[in-house]
Amino acid sequence: MVFKRRDRRPIWKIVLDFVYPRGGWARAFGYVKHRLRRLPDTPEKISRGIAVGVFAAFTPFYGLHFVIAILLARIARGNMLAALLGTFAGNPLTYIPIGIASLGTGYWLLGRPFNAAVFGLYTNGPKDYCTLGCQFSNAFSDITHNFMAIFTIATADWTGLIAFYHEVFVPYLIGGIAPGLFFGLLSYYLFVPIIAVYQKRRRKVLQAKLDQLKK
């Protein structure tokens, strides 16, 4: 195939590039900023796309942030490519603070005490408390085990998945709305004037080049 990579990357390399992209995060963010500036759309539509992309990054639907961002961009009439780029607000450098903010807010809204042990932060909590990684691992193990139980004599067990749903998913889903809206709106009002100034400056440069060609 024409666009197929000649050097197939191993799994560990794909994971490493996701955690730390080639060229570093500064280059990755510079690329995103460059793409946002050159989008052929109004500053308002581009900024709406960025805003819904940032909001999508605060949802617990990991792996579906692109899909959610596109759907929200259609509803908000924002730029879809800008929405995809906006989801980069959620990355390995920000997932932990986003998770803490979302879970903490969710527990507060639900009237439940937030246990810092879920992030492995053992303040006054028990040493054997199931951390966030443990919750994900138990939920994934339940899904795998119960799928195999369909074809074997094993008994389905949803204990880990139910605990994950109540301890992580629901608080994260509810709690991510407020910070997601805050940073989404902040992104909108921040990027509208920045993109407007850049587009105006770019039009002047292009007009100057056109006038020079005419001469």
Side-chain angles (χ1 to χ4, degrees):
M1 293 179 66
V2 177
F3 298 105
K4 188 176 181 180
R5 290 179 62 96
R6 291 184 178 180
D7 54 332
R8 293 192 61 184
R9 294 181 299 170
I11 298 298
W12 68 267
K13 182 63 176 175
I14 296 174
V15 174
L16 182 62
D17 288 343
F18 176 74
V19 175
Y20 190 81
R22 283 187 293 178
W25 280 106
R27 183 178 178 182
F29 288 129
Y31 171 77
V32 172
K33 182 176 68 174
H34 176 73
R35 291 293 300 170
L36 286 173
R37 286 177 172 177
R38 299 180 71 88
L39 288 176
D41 217 331
T42 64
E44 290 76 17
K45 290 191 69 173
I46 295 173
S47 299
R48 281 200 297 270
I50 297 172
V52 298
V54 171
F55 177 82
F58 280 82
T59 64
F61 301 102
Y62 291 99
L64 297 175
H65 286 169
F66 281 2
V67 177
I68 295 172
I70 290 176
L71 292 176
L72 293 177
R74 289 183 65 88
I75 295 172
R77 295 183 179 179
N79 186 282
M80 293 187 184
L81 182 55
L84 296 179
L85 294 173
T87 60
F88 280 88
N91 57 74
L93 298 178
T94 60
Y95 279 144
I96 291 179
I98 286 176
I100 293 175
S102 299
L103 281 173
T105 305
Y107 272 84
W108 177 71
L109 290 173
L110 292 170
R112 294 157 55 183
F114 177 65
N115 195 338
V118 73
F119 286 96
L121 306 175
Y122 298 113
T123 51
N124 296 321
K127 297 293 184 181
D128 58 347
Y129 187 84
C130 189
T131 62
L132 190 61
C134 170
Q135 298 272 10
F136 272 99
S137 177
N138 289 346
F140 181 76
S141 296
D142 274 7
I143 294 173
T144 305
H145 171 78
N146 295 336
F147 176 76
M148 296 302 297
I150 299 174
F151 309 100
T152 63
I153 60 173
T155 304
D157 183 8
W158 300 99
T159 305
L161 191 60
I162 292 173
F164 173 81
Y165 177 80
H166 290 290
E167 295 291 332
V168 178
F169 183 80
V170 172
Y172 201 127
L173 180 64
I174 297 174
I177 295 175
L181 285 174
F182 173 78
F183 284 103
L185 289 173
L186 180 65
S187 301
Y188 176 80
Y189 288 108
L190 180 66
F191 276 97
V192 166
I194 292 176
I195 295 173
V197 169
Y198 177 82
Q199 288 183 345
K200 184 177 181 180
R201 185 183 303 170
R202 190 161 182 264
R203 281 195 296 268
K204 286 183 178 180
V205 172
L206 292 175
Q207 186 62 45
K209 288 183 179 180
L210 184 61
D211 293 341
Q212 189 174 6
L213 289 172
K214 288 180 178 179
K215 291 181 181 180

